[in-house]
Amino acid sequence: MQISQFVFNLQIPFAIVKLTATNMLENILDSPIEYLKGVGPKKGELLRKELGVATFGDLLFAYPSRYIDKTQFHHIADLTEDSGSVQLKGVLRRFSTEGEGRKTRLVGQFRDESGAISLVWFTGISWLQKQLIIGQEYVIYGRVNAFKDAYSIPHPEMEVVSTENTQTATAFAPVYPSTEKLNAQGLDAKSRRRLIKLLLEKIEPAQLPETLPAYVVKKFHFPSRFESILLIHFPRTEDELKASTNRLKFEELFFLQLRLLQIKRRRKDEVKGYVFEKIGDFFNNFYQNKLPFELTNAQKRVLKEIRRDFGLGIQMNRLVQGDVGSGKTMVALLAMLMALDNGFQTCMMAPTEILAQQHFISISNYLQDSPVEVAFLSGSIKGKARKHILERLAAGEIHILIGTHALIEDWVVFKNLGLAITDEQHRFGVAQRAALWKKNKPFPPHVLVMTATPIPRTLAMTLYGDLDISVIDELPPGRKDIVTLHRTENHRLRVIGFMREQIALGRQVYIVYPMIEESEKMDLQNLMSGYEAISREFPTPEFQISILHGKMKAADKDFEMQRFVRGETQIMVATTVIEVGVNVPNASVMVIENTERFGLSQLHQLRGRVGRGAEQSYCLLMSSFKLSKDSKERIQTMVRTNNGFEIAEADLKLRGPGDLEGTQQSGIVNLRLADLAKDGKILAAAREVAARILDDDPYLKRPEHEVLAVQLAKEGKVKKAWSRIS
Ligand code: ADP
Ligand code: MG
């Protein structure tokens, strides 16, 4: 099989799916949404536009985002400010409007046998005045609000008491993600519930056939798929809710893992790789004579794992994870030397020009006075220079090519590429990685992926679930933990004083400002006024200050950077462009301005720029006094720990996987129900079950696994259809 073909055909099913009775019946789920009673063309259009719900099936699989607990009624007298959302049964005694103009609100008094509480509405007042009936008994639901010891419930859901909402009040009512437009068109919470109920009545067990092997369902005591889908919409008890949610989450993660592990296995079965059997002069000369330090045990272990891969005759696809400063570059270099010893070229690709240049510089330095030819290539290398590099590359005169994603372009042709390394900030997609595969024949090069910062375990398992994973879980000896402190504006003078002290001791200082595209102009102003303020505090000629930001010309950036590297300037005022670019061991203080505007991983990455020398290093996180809960949590996490893995986990919990860099483009993390921040245990179980099944029955040929083949095929089809559209 051709490599390229293989890369793009990974989703092809193993079993030819026959059109069975089940498949026919399932078509009801494909019915256009407007055919559902109570929907019609207008609401159908809206559901399509607002929620992407186009079919019965889409509606069915749009699960509730939360539930209203209707299993009990609270007593008004028992309510406290911590009661949260409550269900009450009582009588509406009276209502009237209060306030004037824009502050007009409708206030009602609601009473049960234990006491009374105010109900408040700010919108829809005239409609409510017509609807609400004084003296009527209602079941209401809403969140208790406390203001100066008085409790009220703003905008409660109100239902006239009926046998349905009292006697059968043993259920959790689903609440679905909605939009204002939907609410305005009468597709509010209540009517959504009604639609789902109608739909569920139409569906029979055969239309939601089991997707998991019977023994797996049994092993975990899962409800059937049909039951689970009924129950996730209308659970009667907490146990039912939990059981159905667990099952559906498992299913989701299980198929994801099954697909990833299948890709991994099939690659191993089908994609041969070059055998690097020799350790030769390139490696030995460097390792014995030039290695500037002893490798850490973690570096040695990971290197051994890579070396073992090189010997298998199978293409390596390995991820190396390690914290900032754990020494991934050296591991990469040593792996490259092994490739050279076996007559192959290697390349290393980085996500930004600055990072690629830094790799080029540090690797060239390591290989000074050695016969290894190292070259740099990026989009900015043009004309003659580029032509020259490409010629030498094709002739095999360049051993190591370092650069940006320019390396994957078709016009970059190697004589004999044996190992491709990518240093990723979760930034390269699967397709880009795949492009590297085509750079040699008959076999693709071995691929080593390095992450710039640690990523949480659950995310690694999904984003990189098709790769083997190595972890460098140890920092080189002698590193002192960076002391991290949170400071606000009223500490400014002392912070300046501290900088002065450190500079007097001969150290250098970074001051980092946020810079994002959306507010670029203001950010730049902010940076410049910060620079001016600092220039006043640290006047020439005694002090020299560098400035660095993304709007500067490459040559100017380089000039400023070099001055700081050589120690000619004591302070570097910069934006996050220094995030990945710099290694200045003498810089031991980092001041981060507007810390609340940075993400956690970014802060950790920035902090990693100090603590590279022998001196005690400091990171001062400046922020305004008033902070949101999340900002506070981020800053506290930074103050608490220097461990990148811990920080990555905290980041995932705070932001959710959808917001983490790279997850969106990857398209892999498209989970409906499972949450990678919370469902680590389910994910681990799902991966283990998937692995065991593939160990046993790699091609899913056994009768008990037919359901899996069918399901994978179906998902494959959906994927294909999507990729054609988008
Ligand atoms: P990262 O994993 O963040 O890419 P680097 O490869 O840039 O880290 O290494 C960070 C610093 O640690 C470099 O200055 C490197 O020379 C140094 N280093 C790497 N390995 C060791 C080691 N085993 N002992 C001492 N210093 C090391
Ligand atoms: Mg690095």
Side-chain angles (χ1 to χ4, degrees):
M1 191 187 268
Q2 289 252 312
I3 296 159
S4 53
Q5 201 185 332
F6 178 79
V7 173
F8 297 109
N9 283 358
L10 290 169
Q11 307 291 349
I12 292 251
F14 296 119
I16 307 287
V17 186
K18 281 170 278 176
L19 204 63
T20 60
T22 324
N23 289 102
M24 302 285 281
L25 272 173
E26 258 191 87
N27 285 344
I28 187 176
L29 295 181
D30 296 334
S31 311
I33 191 65
E34 45 267 52
Y35 295 170
L36 187 64
K37 206 177 141 202
V39 178
K42 205 168 156 202
K43 288 182 183 169
E45 184 62 24
L46 213 56
L47 281 168
R48 233 180 270 267
K49 265 205 190 127
E50 295 284 299
L51 298 178
V53 167
T55 64
F56 286 17
D58 292 340
L59 188 69
L60 188 65
F61 298 123
Y63 300 136
S65 55
R66 61 190 178 86
Y67 300 84
I68 295 175
D69 182 356
K70 296 209 162 174
T71 55
Q72 54 174 325
F73 291 106
H74 283 77
H75 295 290
I76 292 174
D78 297 339
L79 298 180
T80 70
E81 57 186 319
D82 301 321
S83 292
S85 295
V86 295
Q87 181 176 238
L88 303 171
K89 189 172 67 167
V91 176
L92 184 66
R93 298 298 298 261
R94 56 168 187 267
F95 61 79
S96 56
T97 55
E98 290 180 12
E100 300 262 318
R102 287 181 56 211
K103 288 193 172 158
T104 311
R105 59 200 181 272
L106 185 67
V107 180
Q109 196 202 41
F110 189 73
R111 178 174 278 285
D112 68 6
E113 62 274 19
S114 73
I117 190 167
S118 299
L119 310 179
V120 190
W121 292 270
F122 300 95
T123 55
I125 292 174
S126 54
W127 185 78
L128 282 160
Q129 280 171 326
K130 274 178 247 153
Q131 296 290 314
L132 295 174
I133 307 161
I134 290 174
Q136 171 68 50
E137 201 178 6
Y138 285 98
V139 170
I140 73 165
Y141 184 88
R143 177 171 280 277
V144 178
N145 192 14
F147 183 69
K148 289 184 187 159
D149 286 338
Y151 298 140
S152 65
I153 299 183
H155 287 258
E157 275 187 36
M158 308 268 300
E159 269 179 43
V160 170
V161 159
S162 68
T163 44
E164 204 184 317
N165 61 26
T166 48
Q167 285 174 9
T168 58
T170 52
F172 291 85
V175 181
Y176 300 92
S178 191
T179 66
E180 288 209 6
K181 272 193 193 149
L182 288 175
N183 287 333
Q185 292 291 320
L187 280 165
D188 60 358
K190 258 197 278 183
S191 65
R192 275 292 286 286
R193 262 171 239 155
R194 220 169 24 237
L195 286 183
I196 288 279
K197 263 209 174 109
L198 266 172
L199 177 58
L200 289 176
E201 280 162 18
K202 282 179 185 293
I203 291 170
E204 300 186 17
Q207 284 149 348
L208 290 171
E210 191 50 71
T211 49
L212 296 172
Y215 68 91
V216 173
V217 174
K218 203 167 146 207
K219 179 181 168 189
F220 291 100
H221 307 288
F222 284 146
S224 74
R225 179 151 179 267
F226 177 70
E227 269 180 298
S228 301
I229 290 170
L230 291 195
L231 289 179
I232 199 161
H233 287 290
F234 292 103
R236 283 161 302 192
T237 63
E238 205 141 349
D239 283 347
E240 282 185 349
L241 176 58
K242 217 173 182 176
S244 56
T245 311
N246 274 346
R247 186 226 136 100
L248 293 172
K249 282 181 174 175
F250 180 92
E251 180 180 328
E252 192 169 39
L253 295 169
F254 170 80
F255 280 103
L256 179 60
Q257 290 301 322
L258 192 65
R259 234 177 298 127
L260 288 165
L261 290 170
Q262 211 178 35
I263 292 171
K264 186 167 154 183
R265 290 188 76 100
R266 291 188 66 198
R267 257 196 220 139
K268 291 199 171 173
D269 286 349
E270 294 170 24
V271 184
K272 293 211 170 55
Y274 302 107
V275 178
F276 298 170
E277 52 194 5
K278 266 201 316 206
I279 291 285
D281 287 347
F282 282 121
F283 185 94
N284 283 331
N285 279 339
F286 181 80
Y287 197 82
Q288 279 151 24
N289 308 322
K290 297 271 174 59
L291 195 66
F293 37 69
E294 166 105 12
L295 294 185
T296 63
N297 286 326
Q299 284 172 316
K300 284 182 193 162
R301 189 187 65 240
V302 171
L303 215 53
K304 260 188 208 143
E305 287 165 354
I306 293 169
R307 172 135 200 241
R308 198 180 48 220
D309 289 349
F310 284 162
L312 294 175
I314 297 166
Q315 186 211 17
M316 171 176 81
N317 278 282
R318 184 171 287 281
L319 172 74
V320 174
Q321 273 216 73
D323 205 344
V324 179
S326 62
K328 293 181 288 282
T329 316
M330 184 50 74
V331 170
L333 173 58
L334 291 168
M336 291 198 278
L337 294 176
M338 288 184 207
L340 302 195
D341 276 336
N342 290 275
F344 289 90
Q345 293 168 294
T346 72
C347 69
M348 186 163 174
M349 180 163 82
T352 64
E353 177 114 11
I354 293 187
L355 184 56
Q357 265 169 12
Q358 195 203 320
H359 279 315
F360 174 68
I361 291 164
S362 61
I363 284 176
S364 304
N365 282 342
Y366 282 133
L367 296 175
Q368 254 173 27
D369 319 316
S370 87
V372 181
E373 284 296 317
V374 188
F376 178 83
L377 184 66
S378 75
S380 64
I381 308 276
K382 294 194 177 106
K384 261 196 191 143
R386 175 188 288 188
K387 194 161 161 256
H388 185 56
I389 288 172
L390 293 178
E391 277 166 11
R392 288 169 60 222
L393 193 66
E397 286 160 26
I398 290 171
H399 298 110
I400 297 177
L401 183 64
I402 297 173
T404 58
H405 47 255
L407 299 196
I408 63 176
E409 300 290 341
D410 285 339
W411 42 264
V412 178
V413 180
F414 292 82
K415 181 168 183 232
N416 192 14
L417 181 66
L419 169 66
I421 299 177
T422 63
D423 196 7
E424 305 192 354
Q425 276 187 307
H426 317 182
R427 273 186 204 167
F428 293 126
V430 175
Q432 280 170 310
R433 232 183 285 146
L436 284 170
W437 283 38
K438 292 190 259 175
K439 297 270 176 203
N440 205 355
K441 278 184 193 140
F443 306 143
H446 294 296
V447 173
L448 191 65
V449 177
M450 303 195 298
T451 60
T453 47
I455 50 178
R457 220 172 66 90
T458 52
L459 211 54
M461 268 192 231
T462 37
L463 283 178
Y464 298 99
D466 58 329
L467 309 184
D468 292 307
I469 298 183
S470 293
V471 181
I472 308 184
D473 50 7
E474 185 187 353
L475 291 181
R479 292 272 167 84
K480 291 202 184 83
D481 266 359
I482 299 159
V483 173
T484 303
L485 302 166
H486 179 207
R487 291 291 179 258
T488 51
E489 212 42 55
N490 48 343
H491 298 109
R492 177 69 64 189
L493 278 180
R494 267 184 283 167
V495 169
I496 301 240
F498 177 73
M499 286 168 56
R500 230 177 239 127
E501 269 168 41
Q502 291 291 309
I503 291 171
L505 289 170
R507 318 271 189 273
Q508 288 163 284
V509 178
Y510 293 109
I511 304 177
V512 184
Y513 282 83
M515 173 79 77
I516 57 170
E517 234 173 273
E518 291 88 72
S519 54
E520 202 174 67
K521 251 192 173 155
M522 268 181 56
D523 286 345
L524 199 60
Q525 261 172 26
N526 204 4
L527 171 85
M528 288 328 243
S529 58
Y531 173 72
E532 278 158 26
I534 283 295
S535 307
R536 265 177 265 124
E537 294 288 347
F538 296 89
T540 46
E542 194 185 345
F543 300 98
Q544 299 293 329
I545 304 174
S546 285
I547 183 161
L548 193 66
H549 58 80
K551 291 272 135 178
M552 288 163 61
K553 288 206 185 80
D556 296 340
K557 271 196 256 184
D558 199 47
F559 176 75
E560 288 292 326
M561 198 58 238
Q562 289 310 326
R563 289 207 308 151
F564 189 66
V565 170
R566 287 194 299 262
E568 291 164 19
T569 59
Q570 293 87 17
I571 300 175
M572 161 69 80
V573 178
T575 61
T576 46
V577 291
I578 65 151
E579 187 176 337
V580 288
V582 196
N583 186 17
V584 184
N586 189 50
S588 65
V589 179
M590 170 162 289
V591 179
I592 299 180
E593 299 288 344
N594 300 111
T595 305
E596 62 271 37
R597 291 187 47 205
F598 291 91
L600 247 184
S601 299
Q602 205 180 15
L603 287 172
H604 180 62
Q605 180 86 26
L606 279 169
R607 180 169 60 181
R609 298 301 107 198
V610 295
R612 298 186 153 237
E615 308 305 333
Q616 175 64 55
S617 291
Y618 302 88
C619 178
L620 304 179
L621 305 173
M622 305 298 294
S623 82
S624 56
F625 191 70
K626 251 184 111 179
L627 290 172
S628 72
K629 195 163 151 270
D630 275 11
S631 306
K632 221 179 266 171
E633 183 106 26
R634 284 202 298 274
I635 291 175
Q636 280 165 359
T637 305
M638 286 295 293
V639 170
R640 186 179 70 237
T641 179
N642 273 288
N643 181 323
F645 285 92
E646 215 177 308
I647 286 170
E649 296 288 344
D651 201 18
L652 175 62
K653 287 220 170 72
L654 277 171
R655 286 203 284 171
D659 287 337
L660 296 188
E661 226 173 308
T663 55
Q664 246 141 35
Q665 301 94 292
S666 80
I668 294 174
V669 187
N670 239 337
L671 300 167
R672 268 177 204 285
L673 206 54
D675 177 347
L676 294 179
K678 293 187 191 131
D679 298 322
K681 275 194 186 143
I682 302 179
L683 173 59
R687 186 166 171 95
E688 198 190 309
V689 173
R692 208 171 301 154
I693 287 175
L694 291 174
D695 277 347
D696 252 26
D697 182 15
Y699 291 90
L700 304 175
K701 291 225 161 103
R702 296 226 188 111
E704 68 266 31
H705 294 148
E706 197 194 333
V707 284
L708 300 179
V710 169
Q711 183 62 18
L712 285 180
K714 214 188 300 168
E715 286 181 12
K717 252 190 239 154
V718 173
K719 271 233 167 94
K720 274 228 180 102
W722 263 111
S723 62
R724 243 181 287 128
I725 298 162
S726 53

